[in-house]
Amino acid sequence: MTFPLLRLSDFSGSTSRRALPRPRALVCALALAAWPGLMSTPWAQSQPTGSPGRFSGTPPATAPREEAPLPRPATAPLPNLGSPDAADLPASEERRILRDLRRELARYPDNFADPELNAYLDHLIAKLAAGLGTSRPHLEIYALRDPVLNAFAMPGGLMGVNSGLITAAGNENELAGVLAHEIGHVEQRHIARSIANQKSAGLWTLAGLALAILAARSGTSSGDNVMQAAIAGSQGLSVSQVLAFSRDAEREADRVGLRLLTEAGYDVSGMVSVFQRLQAQGRLYESTGPIIPSTHPLTTERIADIQNRTRLIPPRPPVDTLAFRLFQARAMVLAAQTADARLQLRKVFDARMQPGVQIPGEPEATAFVRAGAAYGLALIELAEPKTGTQATDAASGQRALTQLDRAAKEAGFAPTAPGSLQAQAAQAGKLGAARPMLVAEPAQLLFARARALSRLGRQADAVALIQAAGDSGGMPLLFRDAMAQAFLDINEAGQAAAILRLRLAQQPDPAPWLVLARCYAELGDKPGQLRAQAEHYFMIGAFGSALQSMEAARKTPGLDAITLSQIDARLREMRDAKRIEDEELKKRGEPTEEQRERQR
């Protein structure tokens, strides 16, 4: 199966994301064993490839096969943030800041939190960071719904990229150029050095600063209030001093970025072209809020310096991929939240479908660009709310299928027919052995095709397509997340929950716990929903919210003695974690979680 977004071979060296920081001796992560009956499902037969999960620092262990339907404590490796001696800011303190930033991003409404977008970005930064070798720092990246052309790096290796920049990138090469530059800032520990120089500011205030930046981008009155509150609590911390980079820092990041681009096989001139285009638009790295000046000054001198460096590097053809075009189209559709916005986006995709027509400001209509546009048109059809009228919903589903057929053909794949999957299953039955389904299309197209078939009332065919996407001989963790989301999108919460339970047994991450909670909500399992929510909160360091959810689960009527005992044991672990955390915060003179919540 061809799956350019989440191919198994692509993830053997994936950059680890978000290993959970915790109080000194207490492990704040969980492993979940396989639940009853799970291993009988087709996707559960495939073992993971050993690619790390989003928050892992080492490859996950093989999934336990014993029956144990309960979360249990397990270790989660911390991210490698570099030697504490390598910079003034100790790694332990940087991890604490990183956890606070994650907690704020988990609450940020414009964090896409989309498994398919995350998978592509994780793969891209892993490819770029491979050039750092053993010195590769911890990196994790988020896609944000924000029209501002911006990408940024923050403490602990956290990176963000706005939908505006994703949309403006002319190809994968240009997006890689911007991200390689941001990885350079992380690798050179520019922000860590800047924070260490702010001796008078408490470290917790940077999390408030991050909240202020995110709130400023929201452009709402409530966002302004949150921003002002965060600034008021910053104890004089200078935003520009912490986040703005000097010219020397920019040159260092450019130098590292150019090296990473070269070693990853990209054309280094792509960094120059994207910076020139974005400088011409006058919008790169500018905040919509009043508190951030340009944090990445794009001067003519700096661009000239990059050009001088690139002259010494042999040119290569710019890199563009089908994976990027599908990723870009998906981000553009997810960013279009209103019917009017989707109407305008439809016009953009229609224009990209015209071969041989070059529209100013738009990429050349190559086969990959046309495939991405057709995929985007299908997603627009599927983004429209269901009307409840069978004929209307079926019509939108059929239009989506037509666009997905076009996308597959433009990309050089034969559209997958559910009938062919049934024929393969029948043949496997005759042979008396389970055989993986053979499909050519990328899984992104298969997942969208399943949603379209579900609208047509062809639920069995939709399920078969998603299962076929998983019959590839193994599934990376991020693929499991996308697959579970695909099942949830067609109202198959039970199948999605089964995948997530197995996925969490391999590597516990916060986001899948939250999706699992949604699955349990749709299944009417209130205790399961509350317990999954509690684990999500616990992993992002929101211990108070975790305890509230777990205590609410305990109060659910009708629980048996075994379930009550399991919940009680987990409550003790969570209370211990919160107690240790609060004690450390008090020693450092920092506010506890409750005190910070009251200051919001």
Side-chain angles (χ1 to χ4, degrees):
M1 179 185 73
T2 302
F3 188 26
L5 183 66
L6 290 166
R7 285 179 308 204
L8 306 183
S9 60
D10 288 342
F11 280 80
S12 59
S14 178
T15 304
S16 62
R17 290 183 63 169
R18 312 174 199 163
L20 183 68
R22 62 180 183 93
R24 297 174 183 169
L26 182 66
V27 177
C28 298
L30 305 171
L32 185 63
W35 287 36
L38 183 59
M39 298 311 298
S40 63
T41 53
W43 55 85
Q45 303 299 332
S46 300
Q47 294 301 310
T49 62
S51 59
R54 289 178 147 192
F55 287 69
S56 67
T58 57
T62 302
R65 290 177 177 266
E66 71 273 14
E67 186 173 305
L70 296 173
R72 67 169 185 255
T75 59
L78 296 176
N80 178 13
L81 299 176
S83 169
D85 298 330
D88 292 336
L89 184 67
S92 60
E93 295 179 350
E94 194 169 359
R95 284 195 294 265
R96 183 179 293 275
I97 297 172
L98 174 60
R99 191 187 66 187
D100 288 343
L101 292 171
R102 288 173 181 157
R103 185 165 57 239
E104 299 303 338
L105 276 168
R107 294 168 170 166
Y108 184 49
D110 288 327
N111 175 12
F112 280 124
D114 179 76
E116 292 187 34
L117 296 186
N118 290 339
Y120 173 82
L121 289 172
D122 275 9
H123 169 59
L124 183 56
I125 64 172
K127 182 178 179 181
L128 292 168
L132 297 175
T134 56
S135 65
R136 181 173 64 184
H138 171 77
L139 297 168
E140 60 184 81
I141 187 165
Y142 295 80
L144 305 177
R145 182 185 292 105
D146 191 325
V148 176
L149 279 68
N150 196 7
F152 56 89
M154 297 192 77
L158 188 150
M159 299 165 59
V161 58
N162 288 352
S163 57
L165 182 60
I166 295 170
T167 300
N171 50 42
E172 180 174 287
N173 210 128
E174 291 190 351
L175 180 63
V178 176
L179 296 184
H181 173 87
E182 297 303 329
I183 293 173
H185 282 303
V186 175
E187 193 269 342
Q188 294 294 306
R189 296 181 62 78
H190 291 147
I191 300 178
R193 296 181 206 167
S194 181
I195 297 171
N197 291 333
Q198 297 287 326
K199 299 297 185 182
S200 63
L203 287 172
W204 71 271
T205 60
L206 189 64
L209 175 63
L211 175 60
I213 295 171
L214 296 175
R217 289 200 183 103
S218 70
T220 63
S221 58
S222 60
D224 291 339
N225 292 337
V226 172
M227 178 182 66
Q228 295 302 329
I231 295 172
S234 66
Q235 299 177 354
L237 182 62
S238 169
V239 175
S240 59
Q241 284 178 298
V242 172
L243 293 184
F245 296 121
S246 68
R247 291 184 179 183
D248 287 342
E250 291 296 347
R251 281 194 289 267
E252 282 184 332
D254 290 338
R255 173 182 55 78
V256 173
L258 287 172
R259 177 168 63 84
L260 297 181
L261 282 175
T262 302
E263 295 186 10
Y266 289 102
D267 176 28
V268 292
S269 66
M271 180 182 285
V272 176
S273 62
V274 69
F275 283 174
Q276 285 178 328
R277 282 200 300 113
L278 297 174
Q279 184 197 38
Q281 295 182 38
R283 296 169 58 197
L284 181 64
Y285 305 123
E286 292 178 4
S287 170
T288 57
I291 61 173
I292 303 291
S294 175
T295 58
H296 295 253
L298 264 178
T299 63
T300 302
E301 177 187 359
R302 180 181 155 209
I303 292 178
D305 181 65
I306 299 174
Q307 287 177 316
N308 289 333
R309 292 178 182 275
T310 59
R311 290 193 182 100
L312 304 176
I313 303 173
R316 291 173 174 166
V319 175
D320 199 11
T321 63
L322 175 61
F324 169 75
R325 291 303 172 188
L326 299 180
F327 159 80
Q328 185 184 53
R330 185 174 184 86
M332 292 167 72
V333 174
L334 291 177
Q337 295 184 285
T338 66
D340 286 343
R342 289 191 289 272
L343 178 61
Q344 294 302 314
L345 186 56
R346 187 187 296 273
K347 295 177 181 178
V348 172
F349 288 143
D350 282 336
R352 291 186 178 185
M353 290 297 298
Q354 307 303 318
V357 178
Q358 182 62 51
I359 301 173
E362 284 293 308
E364 181 185 352
T366 63
F368 284 169
V369 169
R370 295 194 300 272
Y375 173 64
L377 289 169
L379 293 183
I380 288 175
E381 294 289 349
L382 298 173
E384 298 299 332
K386 291 184 178 180
T387 64
T389 304
Q390 184 175 1
T392 303
D393 292 339
S396 67
Q398 188 58 56
R399 289 193 297 271
L401 282 178
T402 299
Q403 295 296 345
L404 291 168
D405 287 347
R406 293 176 69 186
K409 291 175 181 177
E410 291 287 359
F413 300 107
T416 304
S420 67
L421 302 180
Q422 296 168 1
Q424 289 184 49
Q427 181 64 23
K430 291 179 182 178
L431 296 175
R435 297 176 61 186
M437 299 294 182
L438 300 178
V439 292
E441 283 185 275
Q444 303 97 302
L445 299 185
L446 291 178
F447 293 160
R449 196 178 290 278
R451 290 173 61 190
L453 288 172
S454 180
R455 287 205 172 201
L456 290 167
R458 298 167 57 184
Q459 196 70 6
D461 288 339
V463 170
L465 278 177
I466 299 174
Q467 290 177 338
D471 285 339
S472 58
M475 288 192 296
L477 295 178
L478 296 179
F479 179 69
R480 293 175 189 259
D481 293 349
M483 192 174 181
Q485 185 62 56
F487 272 123
L488 195 56
D489 288 341
I490 64 170
N491 300 316
E492 293 287 343
Q495 305 238 37
I499 291 176
L500 289 170
R501 288 193 294 261
L502 182 59
R503 179 258 191 271
L504 287 164
Q506 302 304 310
Q507 179 62 48
D509 294 343
W513 278 115
L514 202 56
V515 179
L516 184 59
R518 287 180 52 203
C519 293
Y520 285 139
E522 292 196 16
L523 294 169
D525 183 351
K526 190 66 174 179
Q529 175 189 355
L530 291 168
R531 293 174 72 182
Q533 284 177 352
E535 300 301 350
H536 166 76
Y537 290 135
F538 190 68
M539 289 203 72
I540 64 172
F543 296 149
S545 298
L547 284 169
Q548 289 177 8
S549 293
M550 193 64 76
E551 288 165 353
R554 194 190 188 287
K555 296 176 182 177
T556 306
L559 296 179
D560 57 59
I562 294 177
T563 301
L564 283 171
S565 175
Q566 294 163 348
I567 292 176
D568 286 341
R570 193 68 184 122
L571 276 170
R572 286 192 294 271
E573 293 169 349
M574 290 182 172
R575 286 169 182 151
D576 286 343
K578 188 175 187 310
R579 176 180 53 79
I580 294 173
E581 171 78 359
D582 288 349
E583 288 175 355
E584 289 197 358
L585 289 172
K586 289 177 181 177
K587 287 178 182 178
R588 297 165 59 89
E590 299 178 27
T592 63
E593 180 183 352
E594 289 82 0
Q595 290 170 333
R596 274 182 282 183
E597 287 299 322
R598 286 195 293 268
Q599 292 171 349
R600 281 180 174 272

